[in-house]
Amino acid sequence: MDGVPRVPEQRGPEDSATLRFGVLGPVRAWRGEELLATGSPQQRALLAALLMREGRTATASELIDALWGDDPPPRALAAVRTYASRLRKVLSPGVLLSESGGYAVRLGEPRSLDLAAAQELAAEAEKAKNSGDLRHARHVLNEALALWDGEPLAGVPGPYAEAQRARLEEWRLQLLESRLDMDLEQGCHAEAVSELTALTAAHPLRERLRELLMLALYRSGRQAEALAVYADTRRLLADELGVDPRPGLKELQQRILQADPTLAEPSAPAPEPAAAPVRPAQLPATVPDFTGRAAFVAELSEVLASAEGRVMAVSALAGIGGVGKTTLAVHVAHQARSAFPDGQLYVDLQGAGPRAAEPETVLGSFLRALGTADSAIPDSLEERSALYRSVLDGRRVLVLLDNARDAAQVRPLLPGTEGCAALVTSRVRMVDLAGAHLVDLDVMSPDEALALFTKIVGEERVASEREAALDVVAACGFLPLAIRIAASRLAARRTWTVSVLAAKLADERRRLDELQAGDLAVKATFELGYGQLEPAQARAFRLLGLADGPDISLAAAAAVLDLPLEETEDLLESLVDTSLLESAAPGRYRYHDLVRLYARACAERDEHPPSERDAAMSRLLDFYLSTVAGVYLIERPGDRLVDHLERAEGPGLTFADRRAAQDWLYSEAVSLLACVRQSAQRSGMLRRAVDVLWAAVDLAESGANSREYEAVASRLRDVAQEAGDPRCEARALMALAFVHHISGTKFDAAVQEAERATELAEAADDPLTSCWSSNISGAIAMYQSRYEDSEVHFTRAIENFRAVGDRPGEASALCNLSRTHLATARTESAVALAQQGTEMYDDMGHALRGANGRYALGLALTQSGRFPEATECLHQALQVFRDSRQRLWEGMTLFRLAELDLAARRPAQAAANAETALTLLRGIGGEWRRGNVLTVLGRALNAIGQLDRAQVCWTEALQIFESLGAPEADEVRGLLTPAAVV
């Protein structure tokens, strides 16, 4: 006998199937969701030694060596037997076996052990990487890394466990390096900087991590910091090991110094998607009755087929409105899809309208569709265009740029890489678009026009009246859009003959003899189609065309028409059937730009009484006012603002929860702001327009629509000033002051706007506006370090809010006053004020504003040294800001967490949080906030020994503060002096 007791094999593997084991953290065992008691540290050490052998038998002597090494206790063998016996009682029968002089653990499934699951995932990731599927490889590696739960074999004694701990930690770092390498290959450099900063602090001598950090910084446009990392690394290696950096790191430094262009772009950029697909398929549906244009189809298809091997294939189609440019381009694009397997992008550039799409906005949309995370999308047009080309490099993507204004709008949107192609449609001939294959699209030939008409109307009806059909298409000017609309009207009226249609169209054309031929035919056709509408359809067609904005929702349309939702939907769908309206998406509708112009002309001519036009727009404004007030109240229960808004005559939408309300606000933002701008000029609507803007303040605060919000607020201020309405002007100025102080770049303008708003509000007896303008004035004064002024403003705001019974406003001013007390070293009162404001928010059920309160309380608790409480407050605030899509406040909370981590002597975590804050605040929050984040990041980097990189951050912060004339410049100058101690 070998001295190891044997137990008979008992019940089968079905009893062990629910067992799971963990060694990539504390050694644990679960049966289902039940955590099993695995005994003392030595007993867990025995279990770990058996699990690490992955089913192989360990002899008694091997187990003794694993648990005690060279110094086993006198009764080591008995102890091993005891531990095994106890474990066998805990585990399912048939799991811990005695065999061949030792013991073994038999697992029902390989993935029952977290280590085995991680090994399987790592192998899958390597296979995916080798096949070029980096997205899947990254995903699988993240799954593997997520299996670690702290230190491997935590709390397990013995030399074997110690050796395995070191091996598993090294393997984890290798997996991390591999995943980070793929992050950079897929263009996710901005996100990687934060993680790499923390990793280099934890593993300062690991050169591969330093190399990846240098590359991530360089690709994020931070060349000086990338070079500083090399200097820090060289100094550290010399001091600690007496060696120079390895050749790969030296080579990377030289390539950065030389601005090697191949270094700036990932070799396989295909960012992992968040919610968007990696291979976008955005082409609109092609029309089933596409007719003719055979020569153009062949010509364009040939150009697209030549994309492979060329820098880029660009075709630009030009022609008058309604000539069929979009239809032809979409048809050709669909035929060519197989040649562009990596996706097809589409955008309507709205070049024929009053507000053409901005290239930077389009690029943001394209980058998201290609899988780029929002946080990785830069702010400027040039940076977005460069990233766009990088993401498309090595891929075969077709880009359809529809309805372009001019070549300048198009150039930043061109792929510029081999294998990609672009189709552009425009009403202007783009002779200044270098390298483009120009196609001038004219009206259809008579045969093509007749064929299109016949496909829509039907062969049987046309065959007997061919001459009349030719008259119809001729009257339409052989313009495809006109032919389609005329044919749709005939197809819907079975009692009409083609001759009837021809006669009606001829009559209409005689009224439009002063117009050019092409436009004449289109308008005549619109007139015919409009003339055949039922009265209710015609009214809907006229009134809906009055609204600005790219499209209109079903609910908003119902408000315009003053009809129930179901009846409105029936009317709109019937207009879609006539081709006079388009269905942009479920529940949203839009006009072709020519049709919109015609609809407005009809409203001017036919809407009786004429006041109904203003009434329709008034109902739309009321709909937005009522709905956005409801959204505001969901976010801020008990807020008195809604009591001080103009009264909306019509009802708005109601929402089940905050998420639904936010979804509506952000999806409706463009149309809402367009309505506000448009309403400012209409009689009797200015006050309601200003109030819609005020209630939609979240659009400015989140940073999502700050520019559009600012532009509309400026317009309302000007109109109010011209109208001599001090109340409207005060509220518009307050909105401007708010968006300017949020931007972090226009504090001086915000000061003047807030002061003027206060004066006007008091003159107009508008107490709530006076309250909020005082609150904003206090915030600006605090940012400018004018603490006496800020305290005066906040104290006045608190008194005024109390006077009007606005408890949420009072809570806001209390939390803000806490910040001023904190800045003037009154920490105890700062904590009390922030607690008071936060408790008020909580009592009223304010989730988002409660997060603002916890933000202020977290700052005060940090300065008072109560770090655990501060951490809890800031993390609670951070989660709410994330859920509420408040990117500005999410970034600022991470910045405050970085300050807290520094105070709590967690510099590596501070650096990681500051890096993430920098990424989130890109393009929002302004340079002043960026300077503050860079200052804290420099302090954190200095504390973890990355001295040169810290100097780069401080230098950039100093440049920002000096350009703004900010007092923080003095602090940063002190940090940059050689004697500074951080």
Side-chain angles (χ1 to χ4, degrees):
M1 293 289 290
D2 55 18
V4 179
R6 297 182 180 274
V7 295
E9 298 267 347
Q10 298 183 32
R11 284 167 293 183
E14 67 275 4
D15 295 301
S16 63
T18 58
L19 276 181
R20 294 181 293 115
F21 296 93
V23 294
L24 299 177
V27 176
R28 289 171 292 188
W30 296 266
R31 181 178 289 108
E33 298 303 316
E34 177 192 1
L35 180 63
L36 303 179
T38 50
S40 67
Q42 291 287 2
Q43 188 169 305
R44 293 198 304 275
L46 175 67
L47 177 59
L50 294 173
L51 289 171
M52 294 295 291
R53 282 166 170 77
E54 299 180 52
R56 299 187 304 274
T57 300
T59 66
S61 60
E62 288 174 335
L63 292 172
I64 291 171
D65 287 341
L67 270 63
W68 293 285
D70 295 332
D71 189 24
R75 295 181 53 80
L77 181 59
V80 167
R81 292 172 178 168
T82 301
Y83 299 149
S85 176
R86 291 172 180 171
L87 285 171
R88 190 177 285 115
K89 293 176 182 177
V90 172
L91 305 177
S92 299
V95 173
L96 200 163
L97 307 177
S98 303
E99 59 182 25
S100 305
Y103 297 95
V105 169
R106 296 281 190 264
L107 302 177
E109 295 287 340
R111 285 204 174 196
S112 299
L113 176 64
D114 58 2
L115 173 60
Q119 290 169 336
E120 186 177 321
L121 290 166
E124 183 181 345
E126 186 65 23
K127 183 179 179 181
K129 179 181 179 182
N130 292 337
S131 67
D133 189 354
L134 297 188
R135 184 194 65 81
H136 182 63
R138 284 176 66 210
H139 175 73
V140 173
L141 267 187
N142 277 324
E143 279 191 60
L145 289 164
L147 294 173
W148 264 263
D149 186 18
E151 182 185 48
L153 306 176
V156 173
Y160 178 79
E162 189 61 37
Q164 292 300 318
R165 257 192 296 273
R167 180 181 72 84
L168 291 172
E169 176 59 17
E170 173 62 24
W171 185 47
R172 185 185 72 87
L173 287 173
Q174 290 173 1
L175 294 180
L176 259 178
E177 289 171 346
S178 180
R179 198 219 68 215
L180 286 162
D181 186 43
M182 287 187 279
D183 287 349
L184 301 190
E185 286 300 298
Q186 295 197 294
C188 300
H189 32 266
E191 297 92 331
V193 170
S194 173
E195 187 174 3
L196 283 164
T197 297
L199 285 169
T200 53
H203 308 279
L205 298 176
R206 201 171 182 94
E207 291 183 68
R208 178 56 179 156
L209 290 174
R210 299 269 182 161
E211 183 179 348
L212 291 169
L213 177 58
M214 288 174 65
L215 187 57
L217 286 166
Y218 181 71
R219 288 181 177 169
S220 300
R222 298 159 69 177
Q223 179 181 9
E225 280 188 73
L227 293 170
V229 170
Y230 179 81
D232 287 331
T233 306
R234 183 176 59 182
R235 182 179 58 254
L236 179 68
L237 291 174
D239 292 346
E240 296 290 330
L241 305 176
V243 297
D244 290 329
R246 60 187 180 83
L249 209 58
K250 293 180 181 179
E251 179 187 350
L252 179 58
Q253 182 222 19
Q254 290 302 308
R255 293 175 68 191
I256 291 174
L257 284 169
Q258 296 162 8
D260 184 344
T262 63
L263 199 61
E265 298 180 357
S267 60
E272 182 178 357
V278 173
R279 294 179 175 83
Q282 297 183 341
L283 294 178
T286 187
V287 294
D289 49 19
F290 182 84
T291 304
R293 308 296 201 188
F296 290 113
V297 171
E299 180 181 351
L300 292 168
S301 297
E302 183 180 352
V303 175
L304 293 182
S306 69
E308 188 171 7
R310 292 180 54 181
V311 172
M312 176 180 52
V314 182
S315 292
L317 287 73
I320 63 171
V323 80
K325 301 181 296 295
T326 298
T327 301
L328 174 60
V330 170
H331 179 75
V332 171
H334 273 282
Q335 284 197 335
R337 283 185 64 180
S338 60
F340 299 95
D342 295 316
Q344 305 86 39
L345 297 168
Y346 171 84
V347 65
D348 178 359
L349 294 172
Q350 303 175 40
R355 274 186 166 73
E358 294 293 337
E360 54 262 49
T361 303
V362 176
L363 285 169
S365 175
F366 278 179
L367 286 167
R368 292 184 192 96
L370 290 164
T372 307
D374 279 342
S375 59
I377 298 176
D379 186 45
S380 72
L381 172 62
E382 294 76 13
E383 289 177 312
R384 287 188 177 193
S385 187
L387 178 59
Y388 171 63
R389 292 190 298 272
S390 298
V391 170
L392 289 179
D393 186 34
R395 304 172 77 178
R396 294 181 56 77
V397 173
L398 175 61
V399 183
L400 178 45
L401 306 173
D402 193 18
N403 196 10
R405 177 184 55 203
D406 51 32
Q409 185 190 27
V410 166
R411 287 191 192 98
L413 309 178
L414 297 178
T417 55
E418 180 180 334
C420 291
L423 272 174
V424 184
T425 74
S426 176
R427 295 191 183 183
V428 299
R429 199 166 190 267
M430 295 197 175
V431 294
D432 51 344
L433 191 60
H437 174 78
L438 302 181
V439 175
D440 293 318
L441 195 59
D442 203 349
V443 296
M444 287 180 145
S445 69
D447 288 342
E448 288 177 330
L450 184 60
L452 175 59
F453 183 79
T454 303
K455 276 193 174 183
I456 298 171
V457 174
E459 178 70 35
E460 183 179 345
R461 298 178 73 182
V462 175
S464 59
E465 296 185 276
R466 190 174 189 278
E467 290 303 318
L470 284 171
D471 289 342
V472 169
V473 297
C476 292
F478 304 110
L479 206 61
L481 178 62
I483 295 167
R484 184 172 296 281
I485 293 174
S488 296
R489 300 312 306 163
L490 182 59
R493 284 160 174 76
R494 303 303 301 175
T495 60
W496 280 17
T497 64
V498 180
S499 299
V500 169
L501 175 63
K504 288 179 176 291
L505 190 55
D507 289 343
E508 298 298 333
R509 292 184 71 238
R510 283 195 290 271
R511 294 197 232 154
L512 302 171
D513 55 347
E514 77 281 3
L515 298 177
Q516 297 178 1
D519 284 342
L520 179 151
V522 173
K523 290 185 178 180
T525 304
F526 291 165
E527 193 75 37
L528 173 65
Y530 169 67
Q532 303 308 318
L533 295 177
E534 298 294 333
Q537 292 174 313
R539 174 178 178 268
F541 176 74
R542 293 191 301 269
L543 295 182
L544 293 177
L546 295 172
D548 283 346
D551 59 11
I552 190 167
S553 68
L554 176 60
V560 170
L561 301 178
D562 195 21
L563 292 173
L565 208 62
E566 296 79 6
E567 188 175 342
T568 301
E569 184 174 21
D570 290 342
L571 278 173
L572 268 55
E573 288 298 328
S574 71
L575 289 174
V576 171
D577 292 340
T578 66
S579 300
L580 289 173
L581 192 66
E582 300 173 13
S583 178
R588 302 198 74 87
Y589 299 86
R590 68 184 175 205
Y591 285 96
H592 183 282
D593 50 2
L594 286 178
V595 180
R596 182 193 294 275
L597 292 175
Y598 177 74
R600 290 183 173 181
C602 288
E604 292 286 338
R605 184 188 67 195
D606 299 337
E607 197 60 46
H608 299 296
S611 59
E612 176 59 11
R613 297 195 298 271
D614 284 339
M617 294 308 299
S618 181
R619 289 192 294 268
L620 179 61
L621 187 62
D622 279 339
F623 165 76
Y624 280 131
L625 177 56
S626 181
T627 306
V628 81
V631 173
Y632 185 94
L633 202 55
I634 286 176
E635 290 286 4
R636 305 163 179 83
D639 197 302
R640 291 295 309 282
L641 170 65
V642 293
D643 299 328
H644 291 259
L645 298 177
E646 286 291 299
R647 182 170 173 268
E649 295 296 331
L653 298 175
T654 56
F655 304 100
D657 51 40
R658 290 179 62 240
R659 172 64 64 180
Q662 290 171 353
D663 287 344
W664 178 87
L665 180 63
Y666 289 107
S667 65
E668 201 72 21
V670 177
S671 295
L672 180 149
L673 292 173
C675 176
V676 170
R677 176 189 284 274
Q678 185 180 16
S679 300
Q681 299 287 13
R682 291 184 176 268
S683 175
M685 297 190 198
L686 177 59
R687 288 197 168 192
R688 281 176 289 157
V690 170
D691 285 354
V692 171
L693 193 70
W694 188 356
V697 68
D698 285 346
L699 296 178
E701 190 170 5
S702 69
N705 299 87
S706 298
R707 291 182 182 177
E708 298 92 335
Y709 190 96
E710 179 183 1
V712 173
S714 296
R715 180 62 183 152
L716 291 176
R717 174 202 57 195
D718 295 343
V719 173
Q721 196 171 35
E722 292 169 6
D725 188 330
R727 171 177 154 168
C728 279
E729 186 179 354
R731 293 189 174 194
L733 281 166
M734 189 195 63
L736 271 177
F738 181 82
V739 75
H740 285 159
H741 107 272
I742 283 291
S743 74
T745 57
K746 299 179 180 178
F747 287 150
D748 291 339
V751 168
Q752 297 174 12
E753 290 154 354
E755 289 176 351
R756 180 62 177 154
T758 302
E759 295 171 5
L760 290 167
E762 291 174 353
D765 191 23
D766 187 7
L768 195 61
T769 303
S770 180
C771 292
W772 280 106
S773 57
S774 294
N775 205 21
I776 294 170
S777 293
I780 300 165
M782 180 180 65
Y783 291 148
Q784 294 182 320
S785 301
R786 296 184 287 110
Y787 299 120
E788 289 185 12
D789 290 344
S790 75
E791 185 155 1
V792 169
H793 288 304
F794 287 142
T795 302
R796 182 187 300 129
I798 291 169
E799 294 170 353
N800 290 344
F801 278 126
R802 285 174 179 165
V804 298
D806 192 322
R807 295 188 73 237
E810 180 187 347
S812 171
L814 284 167
C815 292
N816 287 337
L817 182 59
S818 163
R819 302 274 303 278
T820 298
H821 279 225
L822 200 61
T824 50
R826 290 174 284 173
T827 307
E828 187 174 341
S829 60
V831 171
L833 286 166
Q835 284 177 330
Q836 184 182 354
T838 303
E839 288 169 2
M840 290 176 68
Y841 278 136
D842 289 346
D843 288 344
M844 292 178 284
H846 278 235
L848 180 56
R849 296 306 141 195
N852 287 121
R854 284 173 175 76
Y855 176 91
L857 180 56
L859 302 189
L861 291 169
T862 298
Q863 196 156 315
S864 65
R866 295 159 64 177
F867 299 144
E869 295 170 80
T871 300
E872 182 180 1
C873 277
L874 290 174
H875 276 291
Q876 288 174 352
L878 181 64
Q879 189 57 53
V880 174
F881 290 139
R882 281 177 177 159
D883 292 343
S884 302
R885 288 173 266 190
Q886 291 288 331
R887 186 174 147 206
L888 170 64
W889 286 109
E890 181 184 350
M892 288 304 298
T893 306
L894 284 164
F895 161 61
R896 298 304 185 182
L897 281 167
E899 289 185 317
L900 168 59
D901 289 327
L902 270 181
R905 300 185 184 278
R906 299 188 295 261
Q909 186 59 47
N913 280 329
E915 280 289 356
T916 306
L918 273 184
T919 300
L920 282 167
L921 294 173
R922 179 183 294 155
I924 60 173
E927 288 296 285
W928 177 75
R929 289 186 175 88
R930 177 176 172 80
N932 282 311
V933 178
L934 284 167
T935 303
V936 168
L937 176 58
R939 287 182 179 275
L941 293 170
N942 192 65
I944 61 177
Q946 298 186 21
L947 311 183
D948 287 79
R949 191 175 160 206
Q951 293 284 314
V952 171
C953 290
W954 289 333
T955 300
E956 185 179 350
L958 180 60
Q959 292 169 350
I960 290 171
F961 292 140
E962 287 180 340
S963 69
L964 297 174
E968 289 86 354
D970 291 336
E971 175 196 352
V972 181
R973 286 191 197 96
L975 293 172
L976 284 166
T977 58
V981 177
V982 184

